[in-house]
Amino acid sequence: MSQFAQPQHRCSGCAMPLNPTQQRCPDCLTHPPPLDLCLAAVPYAWPWVDLIARFKFHEQAAWSSTLATLMLSTPWAEDTLEKADFVLPIPLSPQRLAHRGYNQSWLLAQELCLHKANAQLLLRTRDTPSQRDLPRSERLANLNGAFAVEPLSAAKLRGKRVVLVDDVMTSGASLHCAAKVLRQAGVVHISALVLARTETRPLN
């Protein structure tokens, strides 16, 4: 599979493919995202689409180790994890977690850095409709108020560095909403490390 996972120069703000002479794409320069850094291992394309579907929807959780190894090979991933205080998965709602049986992002977070992984600090406060076919503006509205920091643990995050982990990044709405909540809790640096990145700009 390594031939399909060659490192690619990407925007440090949104992980979209970018000219090697640039660090940030025009969109991120014009509208800086709430993430300080965004890293993606592979494009959300064949063969990864089918593999991620099996991992995520077909009870093939054992893929987490292989996929996390792929994420660790992403340029700057190991350094980013080393500097982090916490590695947090994007949480699922209790309803979706019960239906799926596990949170694929939590499995990846544990494989990436077990002693820093924490699934209790960032919470999903409500279930939301599928984001898949929504334009970005509706994705953001859909997720408004969907994340929260665990109140009794909020002080642990103040002044800390956090890495958010997710399997697929499409518009970035979930990561951005989660990052804003963490920023309000006093997190000083927020990176995202995702397995796959869609490489076409979503509709506004």
Side-chain angles (χ1 to χ4, degrees):
M1 292 192 298
S2 60
Q3 67 267 35
F4 301 108
Q6 296 302 310
Q8 184 172 12
H9 185 70
R10 295 176 178 275
C11 172
S12 63
C14 68
M16 291 291 277
L18 194 62
N19 186 307
T21 62
Q22 300 174 294
Q23 288 302 311
R24 290 223 164 187
C25 69
D27 281 5
C28 288
L29 289 172
T30 305
H31 306 288
L35 298 168
D36 296 290
L37 178 66
C38 188
L39 304 172
V42 296
Y44 188 57
W46 188 88
W48 310 113
V49 172
D50 293 341
L51 180 54
I52 291 170
R54 292 203 296 271
F55 168 55
K56 189 172 180 176
F57 300 118
H58 299 289
E59 301 180 1
Q60 297 187 22
W63 276 106
S64 60
S65 178
T66 299
L67 296 175
T69 299
L70 190 64
M71 295 169 75
L72 285 171
S73 70
T74 306
W76 311 114
E78 289 190 348
D79 182 62
T80 299
L81 290 165
E82 182 178 339
K83 291 178 180 177
D85 297 293
F86 296 106
V87 177
L88 309 182
I90 292 294
L92 295 179
S93 67
Q95 298 94 319
R96 195 160 298 182
L97 183 60
H99 175 74
R100 190 171 298 166
Y102 55 87
N103 180 352
Q104 71 284 350
S105 298
W106 171 232
L107 297 182
L108 292 172
Q110 292 177 91
E111 294 286 351
L112 288 166
C113 196
L114 181 59
H115 67 286
K116 295 180 180 181
N118 190 309
Q120 307 302 319
L121 292 174
L122 181 64
L123 308 176
R124 190 80 173 231
T125 58
R126 61 181 177 84
D127 195 24
T128 53
S130 173
Q131 298 275 93
R132 192 171 303 170
D133 299 318
L134 297 177
R136 188 173 189 278
S137 58
E138 291 185 30
R139 287 173 183 248
L140 291 168
N142 189 34
L143 289 166
N144 186 36
F147 299 106
V149 167
E150 203 289 315
L152 297 179
S153 302
K156 295 180 181 179
L157 289 166
R158 196 167 300 120
K160 302 299 184 182
R161 300 173 67 95
V162 164
V163 175
L164 287 169
V165 174
D166 208 358
D167 58 331
V168 178
M169 180 179 181
T170 303
S171 70
S174 295
L175 290 164
H176 289 182
C177 287
K180 289 174 182 177
V181 166
L182 292 169
R183 196 75 73 183
Q184 290 167 2
V187 174
V188 296
H189 192 280
I190 304 171
S191 302
L193 176 56
V194 301
L195 171 58
R197 176 64 159 112
T198 59
E199 297 189 344
T200 55
R201 291 285 182 187
L203 296 174
N204 292 322

